[in-house]
Amino acid sequence: MTGGNEIITLQFGALANATGATFWNSQDALFQVLLEDEWKEYGAFLNAEVLHTTHDSRRTGVKHTPRLVIVDDALQSGGNAGVVDSPVPEVTTWGGSTEIYHTSANSPSAPPQSTDPRGASTQDRSFPTQWSWNTIAQVEFNPKSLALAPRGSGLFDPSRHAEEIEEKIRYFAENCDNVQGFHVALDEGSEWGLQACDTLRDLQDSFPNRPSTLFLQNSNDMSEIEQGALKARLLVRRGITLGQLSQHCNLVVPLAKPHSPSVSTVDNLQLSVLHAMAWDCVSLPYRFTEDLGQHARSNRPSFGSPIGMSDMKSYCDLFCGSGSPLVSFSARPYPAVGNGNDPTQLTRTGFFSLSPLTEPWDPETTVESLIWRGPANGLSRLRSTQALETLDASLASERFRCVRHRSIFPMAAPLALPYHSTAYVDLEIFDSSRRPFGELDIDGVPLLSRLRSSAMFDAVVLDISKGFSAGARSAWGKGELERWGLEVSECDVVTDALSDLTREGGGSSDDDMSF
C-alpha cells in the first residue's frame, strides 16, 4: 500500500507507449539523481508514489515500478524492458503466449551503437525508424501492466479483452490508498481509439469524481498523406476519437509535431521524447509532497522549495470553467534571464508549440498555468522566490492574461532522455550551442512551459470536424464508422460533440474534400 493520492496511467498504441517508455526512463533516471548528495535534499519534494508503486527490499533497495497498463500489440523481440520478479504476483488472467524480457546492462542514457567502415563507434542513425516502446524502455514493469494482443492475432476484440483491461486497472486500484485520477495516453493514428473510449467510459462509471487527463498524441501530418483510403480513415478516426473521448475526460492535451519555424523534420523517436517532456510538465504540480514548508525550514535547500503544489482534480478544475477541456502545450528550453536579456520577454519569446496548429503564444488565452523547472540566470541557478518574481514581472508586461497557476521547481528536474544524442539531432530548439549546462543528459534541462486554454483551438476543432465529414462520405470512411458502431446517418453525433469543444459551438463547414 502507498501514501494516497495515486494516479494510474493507461497507454494505448505505439506512439503513446514509446512516449511512456521515454517518460518512465526519465523518472527512473531522476530517482537515481536524487540519491546524489547534490540533489538529495530535493528528493523530499517529489512524491514518487503518485505514479509508481514502491518496493523496498534488503537485496535490491528501493525500486519504483510504474502504476501502468500498457495496451498494444505483442512485444517485439530483442527489447530491453523487464518485469519485476517480486513481490508482484504472476499474471493469472492472460491466456495467450508469454514473452519475458530482462533489462539489459546498457546505460539507459546511451544511444544504440554501430560501427562505421572506419572502425569508429557511431550512433545508429537507422534507430529512429525502427523504434518500438519495448526497445526504448529501460525500466521494469509489473506483469499486470501488460495487456498485449498475441502476435499475429490482430487487434483486441473489445468484447473479449475489455474485461482483462478492467481487471488490470482494478488490480492497481485495489493496491492504492486513494486513487486521485488517471492519465490516459492514446496514439490518435492507431486503431486503439475504440478500446480507449470504452475504457474511459468504464472509468467514469467505476471511479466517479476521479479526473482523467487525456494525452491525445498524433504523429501524422495530414497534408503529407496522399493515399485516399488511409487519409479518409485517419480523418474519420481523428474526428471520432476527439469527439467521443473528450466527453469522458476532464482535461485533453492534444500533442503533435512541434509547431515552430525553427523545426523542419521530427522523426518518431524525437517526437516521443518531446511528448514525454509534456507529460512530465503537465503532471509536475501534483507530484509535489505535502510537507514543503516544514522541509524548507528544517533543511534550507540551496535553491528554495517548490512553489505551486496542486492536486490533480484542482488542477483540472482550473481549466474546466473555460467551456472546453482542450488545452495547448508550449515550452521554452533554457529560458533567457539576465545577461542583457529583457526580463519582460521571458514568457513571450523562444517557445515552441507541441499542440496541433496552435502558436506558442497568443493574446487570446483564457486560462493558463505556467511551470518553470530549474530556473537559472545564465549558469547560475535561481532561487524559487527569485524565479517567481521574474516570472510575474514578465507576465505583468503581457497584460490581458488569465494566469491562474504558476509552479516553480528549483531543481532542474532531469529531462532524462535515453538516446538523447540521437533524438536531438537536427532539432534546433535544443541546439547544443544553447546548452549552458553542457551535454544534454540526466543533468537536466531548465524549461519553462505554458499550458493554456485558448480560443485558437476553435479553428483546429472545426478543421477536424470538416475533415471528419468529408472522410465519412467515402467508402473507406464508412468502414471506419462501422468499426465504431456508427452509421453515416449518425455522423451528426460526432460533429455535435466536436462543436461542443469550441467556445462558439459553431459546428463544421460543408466545404468539399476529395480523396
Side-chain angles (χ1 to χ4, degrees):
M1 302 295 281
T2 61
N5 296 320
E6 301 89 350
I7 291 172
I8 299 173
T9 302
L10 312 173
Q11 299 168 184
F12 294 84
L15 179 58
N17 283 310
T19 301
T22 302
F23 174 75
W24 300 115
N25 286 351
S26 74
Q27 298 307 299
D28 190 62
L30 174 58
F31 298 144
Q32 298 303 312
V33 170
L34 293 176
L35 295 176
E36 300 175 6
D37 290 340
E38 180 183 4
W39 300 114
K40 188 173 295 184
E41 60 186 351
Y42 293 92
F45 291 149
L46 285 176
N47 185 356
E49 296 187 354
V50 171
L51 297 176
H52 298 77
T53 299
T54 300
H55 309 292
D56 191 357
S57 71
R58 185 174 302 176
R59 180 173 62 90
T60 61
V62 178
K63 298 180 67 174
H64 304 285
T65 306
R67 190 178 298 105
L68 166 69
V69 178
I70 296 172
V71 184
D72 206 347
D73 207 345
L75 288 167
Q76 295 189 21
S77 61
N80 298 316
V83 293
V84 296
D85 52 3
S86 177
V88 182
E90 296 182 356
V91 177
T92 57
T93 59
W94 177 244
S97 60
T98 301
E99 300 176 64
I100 302 296
Y101 298 96
H102 295 283
T103 304
S104 70
N106 296 331
S107 167
S109 62
Q113 301 289 312
S114 63
T115 303
D116 66 11
R118 295 164 295 179
S121 179
T122 60
Q123 296 166 11
D124 184 356
R125 296 302 296 126
S126 65
F127 177 78
T129 62
Q130 300 172 355
W131 59 268
S132 71
W133 67 265
N134 190 44
T135 57
I136 297 173
Q138 298 284 342
V139 300
E140 292 184 338
F141 296 118
N142 187 319
K144 287 284 189 179
S145 290
L146 306 180
L148 306 176
R151 192 186 310 278
S153 68
L155 299 179
F156 271 133
D157 173 3
S159 63
R160 176 182 175 185
H161 295 286
E163 184 177 344
E164 180 185 356
I165 296 176
E166 181 183 352
E167 183 270 334
K168 292 178 182 296
I169 295 171
R170 187 168 57 249
Y171 165 81
F172 286 109
E174 290 175 350
N175 283 275
C176 294
D177 287 340
N178 177 37
V179 177
Q180 70 165 314
F182 298 87
H183 283 170
V184 180
L186 171 65
D187 184 345
E188 189 181 34
S190 73
E191 297 183 345
W192 295 103
L194 179 59
Q195 183 67 62
C197 188
D198 290 343
T199 301
L200 275 167
R201 187 182 296 109
D202 291 341
L203 290 178
Q204 203 172 37
D205 294 336
S206 303
F207 299 90
N209 302 318
R210 297 296 190 271
S212 293
T213 292
L214 172 65
F215 296 97
L216 195 56
Q217 301 179 238
N218 190 349
S219 61
N220 297 304
D221 186 342
M222 300 303 295
S223 63
E224 297 178 356
I225 300 177
E226 297 181 357
Q227 183 183 357
L230 175 61
K231 189 169 186 176
R233 285 195 294 266
L234 287 177
L235 287 171
V236 171
R237 189 177 302 162
R238 189 181 185 193
I240 298 178
T241 299
L242 179 59
Q244 297 292 314
L245 271 69
S246 61
Q247 299 180 50
H248 308 292
C249 296
N250 300 73
L251 203 63
V252 180
V253 188
L255 297 173
K257 293 183 177 180
H259 183 53
S260 170
S262 65
V263 182
S264 54
T265 58
V266 178
D267 62 42
N268 284 331
L269 173 61
Q270 294 170 330
L271 191 62
S272 70
V273 168
L274 294 175
H275 286 188
M277 176 190 68
W279 287 22
D280 185 52
C281 290
V282 171
S283 63
L284 188 60
Y286 46 85
R287 288 189 282 135
F288 292 164
T289 52
E290 300 180 5
D291 59 344
L292 302 186
Q294 179 180 353
H295 183 85
R297 288 192 297 271
S298 61
N299 291 284
R300 300 183 181 277
S302 303
F303 307 117
S305 57
I307 296 173
M309 175 187 175
S310 181
D311 60 83
M312 186 176 180
K313 186 176 187 305
S314 298
Y315 196 65
C316 291
D317 286 347
L318 288 175
F319 302 93
C320 288
S322 64
S324 172
L326 288 170
V327 292
S328 63
F329 178 86
S330 59
R332 177 180 183 174
Y334 312 107
V337 180
N339 297 330
N341 295 297
D342 183 357
T344 64
Q345 295 298 307
L346 172 67
T347 55
R348 282 200 198 189
T349 60
F351 284 81
F352 65 91
S353 175
L354 279 179
S355 293
L357 303 179
T358 59
E359 297 298 329
W361 185 91
D362 72 272
E364 300 183 31
T365 294
T366 56
V367 180
E368 187 167 21
S369 169
L370 284 87
I371 300 171
W372 195 357
R373 302 184 318 175
N377 180 348
L379 294 176
S380 302
R381 301 183 190 273
L382 292 175
R383 290 185 60 82
S384 52
T385 51
Q386 293 175 304
L388 185 62
E389 292 171 358
T390 304
L391 186 62
D392 284 349
S394 181
L395 290 171
S397 71
E398 292 185 8
R399 304 179 183 178
F400 309 113
R401 313 301 295 176
C402 186
V403 178
R404 294 189 179 180
H405 177 266
R406 292 107 70 235
S407 188
I408 308 289
F409 191 63
M411 172 190 172
L415 178 64
L417 306 177
Y419 320 122
H420 58 79
S421 299
T422 302
Y424 282 110
V425 170
D426 301 327
L427 270 185
E428 295 182 15
I429 51 180
F430 284 99
D431 186 81
S432 58
S433 64
R434 304 174 192 172
R435 298 178 190 169
F437 297 105
E439 282 299 313
L440 183 66
D441 205 336
I442 57 177
D443 294 334
V445 174
L447 192 76
L448 178 61
S449 62
R450 311 188 75 147
L451 193 68
R452 66 194 194 278
S453 175
S454 171
M456 293 180 70
F457 263 123
D458 285 7
V460 177
V461 174
L462 292 177
D463 182 67
I464 292 174
S465 183
K466 182 180 76 170
F468 165 79
S469 298
R473 293 195 293 267
S474 70
W476 306 294
K478 292 176 183 177
E480 186 68 24
L481 285 172
E482 291 178 1
R483 287 191 65 254
W484 287 78
L486 294 174
E487 301 288 343
V488 176
S489 59
E490 298 175 294
C491 283
D492 57 348
V493 174
V494 176
T495 55
D496 288 348
L498 291 171
S499 178
D500 290 341
L501 294 176
T502 67
R503 284 157 186 76
E504 301 298 330
S508 63
S509 169
D510 291 327
D511 294 345
D512 191 24
M513 184 181 295
S514 59
F515 299 95

PDB file of all heavy atoms in Angstrom, residues 252-264:
ATOM      1  N   VAL A 252      -7.965  17.545 -21.801  1.00  0.00           N
ATOM      2  CA  VAL A 252      -7.469  16.922 -23.025  1.00  0.00           C
ATOM      3  C   VAL A 252      -6.283  17.738 -23.520  1.00  0.00           C
ATOM      4  O   VAL A 252      -6.418  18.940 -23.787  1.00  0.00           O
ATOM      5  CB  VAL A 252      -8.549  16.852 -24.119  1.00  0.00           C
ATOM      6  CG1 VAL A 252      -7.996  16.195 -25.383  1.00  0.00           C
ATOM      7  CG2 VAL A 252      -9.773  16.092 -23.615  1.00  0.00           C
ATOM      8  N   VAL A 253      -5.124  17.086 -23.638  1.00  0.00           N
ATOM      9  CA  VAL A 253      -3.902  17.756 -24.090  1.00  0.00           C
ATOM     10  C   VAL A 253      -3.514  17.155 -25.437  1.00  0.00           C
ATOM     11  O   VAL A 253      -2.841  16.122 -25.486  1.00  0.00           O
ATOM     12  CB  VAL A 253      -2.751  17.589 -23.079  1.00  0.00           C
ATOM     13  CG1 VAL A 253      -1.558  18.456 -23.481  1.00  0.00           C
ATOM     14  CG2 VAL A 253      -3.211  17.937 -21.668  1.00  0.00           C
ATOM     15  N   PRO A 254      -3.924  17.759 -26.562  1.00  0.00           N
ATOM     16  CA  PRO A 254      -3.506  17.238 -27.869  1.00  0.00           C
ATOM     17  C   PRO A 254      -2.019  17.515 -28.083  1.00  0.00           C
ATOM     18  O   PRO A 254      -1.537  18.625 -27.842  1.00  0.00           O
ATOM     19  CB  PRO A 254      -4.362  18.041 -28.863  1.00  0.00           C
ATOM     20  CG  PRO A 254      -5.435  18.684 -28.043  1.00  0.00           C
ATOM     21  CD  PRO A 254      -4.837  18.893 -26.694  1.00  0.00           C
ATOM     22  N   LEU A 255      -1.293  16.514 -28.523  1.00  0.00           N
ATOM     23  CA  LEU A 255       0.143  16.650 -28.770  1.00  0.00           C
ATOM     24  C   LEU A 255       0.452  16.176 -30.184  1.00  0.00           C
ATOM     25  O   LEU A 255       0.006  15.115 -30.600  1.00  0.00           O
ATOM     26  CB  LEU A 255       0.948  15.827 -27.755  1.00  0.00           C
ATOM     27  CG  LEU A 255       0.805  16.230 -26.283  1.00  0.00           C
ATOM     28  CD1 LEU A 255       1.513  15.218 -25.395  1.00  0.00           C
ATOM     29  CD2 LEU A 255       1.355  17.632 -26.048  1.00  0.00           C
ATOM     30  N   ALA A 256       1.237  16.971 -30.908  1.00  0.00           N
ATOM     31  CA  ALA A 256       1.596  16.637 -32.276  1.00  0.00           C
ATOM     32  C   ALA A 256       3.064  16.981 -32.491  1.00  0.00           C
ATOM     33  O   ALA A 256       3.830  17.115 -31.537  1.00  0.00           O
ATOM     34  CB  ALA A 256       0.693  17.396 -33.248  1.00  0.00           C
ATOM     35  N   LYS A 257       3.463  17.133 -33.742  1.00  0.00           N
ATOM     36  CA  LYS A 257       4.827  17.540 -34.031  1.00  0.00           C
ATOM     37  C   LYS A 257       5.004  19.014 -33.662  1.00  0.00           C
ATOM     38  O   LYS A 257       4.038  19.780 -33.685  1.00  0.00           O
ATOM     39  CB  LYS A 257       5.151  17.311 -35.504  1.00  0.00           C
ATOM     40  CG  LYS A 257       5.184  15.832 -35.893  1.00  0.00           C
ATOM     41  CD  LYS A 257       5.575  15.629 -37.342  1.00  0.00           C
ATOM     42  CE  LYS A 257       5.678  14.141 -37.667  1.00  0.00           C
ATOM     43  NZ  LYS A 257       6.069  13.896 -39.074  1.00  0.00           N
ATOM     44  N   PRO A 258       6.223  19.435 -33.334  1.00  0.00           N
ATOM     45  CA  PRO A 258       6.443  20.830 -32.921  1.00  0.00           C
ATOM     46  C   PRO A 258       5.976  21.802 -33.991  1.00  0.00           C
ATOM     47  O   PRO A 258       6.269  21.627 -35.179  1.00  0.00           O
ATOM     48  CB  PRO A 258       7.960  20.911 -32.713  1.00  0.00           C
ATOM     49  CG  PRO A 258       8.396  19.512 -32.475  1.00  0.00           C
ATOM     50  CD  PRO A 258       7.474  18.653 -33.291  1.00  0.00           C
ATOM     51  N   HIS A 259       5.235  22.799 -33.548  1.00  0.00           N
ATOM     52  CA  HIS A 259       4.771  23.840 -34.458  1.00  0.00           C
ATOM     53  C   HIS A 259       5.685  25.042 -34.244  1.00  0.00           C
ATOM     54  O   HIS A 259       5.460  25.880 -33.389  1.00  0.00           O
ATOM     55  CB  HIS A 259       3.319  24.194 -34.150  1.00  0.00           C
ATOM     56  CG  HIS A 259       2.728  25.207 -35.094  1.00  0.00           C
ATOM     57  ND1 HIS A 259       2.761  25.060 -36.463  1.00  0.00           N
ATOM     58  CD2 HIS A 259       2.097  26.392 -34.867  1.00  0.00           C
ATOM     59  CE1 HIS A 259       2.167  26.097 -37.033  1.00  0.00           C
ATOM     60  NE2 HIS A 259       1.764  26.908 -36.081  1.00  0.00           N
ATOM     61  N   SER A 260       6.765  25.103 -35.026  1.00  0.00           N
ATOM     62  CA  SER A 260       7.765  26.150 -34.865  1.00  0.00           C
ATOM     63  C   SER A 260       8.528  26.310 -36.164  1.00  0.00           C
ATOM     64  O   SER A 260       8.866  25.317 -36.820  1.00  0.00           O
ATOM     65  CB  SER A 260       8.739  25.793 -33.728  1.00  0.00           C
ATOM     66  OG  SER A 260       9.847  26.681 -33.710  1.00  0.00           O
ATOM     67  N   PRO A 261       8.822  27.557 -36.558  1.00  0.00           N
ATOM     68  CA  PRO A 261       9.586  27.759 -37.806  1.00  0.00           C
ATOM     69  C   PRO A 261      11.006  27.229 -37.719  1.00  0.00           C
ATOM     70  O   PRO A 261      11.656  27.029 -38.744  1.00  0.00           O
ATOM     71  CB  PRO A 261       9.569  29.289 -37.970  1.00  0.00           C
ATOM     72  CG  PRO A 261       9.313  29.823 -36.600  1.00  0.00           C
ATOM     73  CD  PRO A 261       8.413  28.819 -35.945  1.00  0.00           C
ATOM     74  N   SER A 262      11.502  26.978 -36.489  1.00  0.00           N
ATOM     75  CA  SER A 262      12.878  26.505 -36.331  1.00  0.00           C
ATOM     76  C   SER A 262      12.984  24.988 -36.420  1.00  0.00           C
ATOM     77  O   SER A 262      14.070  24.437 -36.360  1.00  0.00           O
ATOM     78  CB  SER A 262      13.447  26.966 -34.984  1.00  0.00           C
ATOM     79  OG  SER A 262      12.744  26.365 -33.913  1.00  0.00           O
ATOM     80  N   VAL A 263      11.837  24.303 -36.554  1.00  0.00           N
ATOM     81  CA  VAL A 263      11.842  22.847 -36.610  1.00  0.00           C
ATOM     82  C   VAL A 263      11.320  22.407 -37.977  1.00  0.00           C
ATOM     83  O   VAL A 263      10.203  22.734 -38.359  1.00  0.00           O
ATOM     84  CB  VAL A 263      10.969  22.238 -35.496  1.00  0.00           C
ATOM     85  CG1 VAL A 263      11.027  20.723 -35.547  1.00  0.00           C
ATOM     86  CG2 VAL A 263      11.434  22.739 -34.142  1.00  0.00           C
ATOM     87  N   SER A 264      12.124  21.667 -38.713  1.00  0.00           N
ATOM     88  CA  SER A 264      11.707  21.237 -40.045  1.00  0.00           C
ATOM     89  C   SER A 264      11.171  19.811 -40.024  1.00  0.00           C
ATOM     90  O   SER A 264      10.031  19.556 -40.378  1.00  0.00           O
ATOM     91  CB  SER A 264      12.884  21.346 -41.026  1.00  0.00           C
ATOM     92  OG  SER A 264      14.011  20.625 -40.528  1.00  0.00           O
TER      93      SER A 264
END
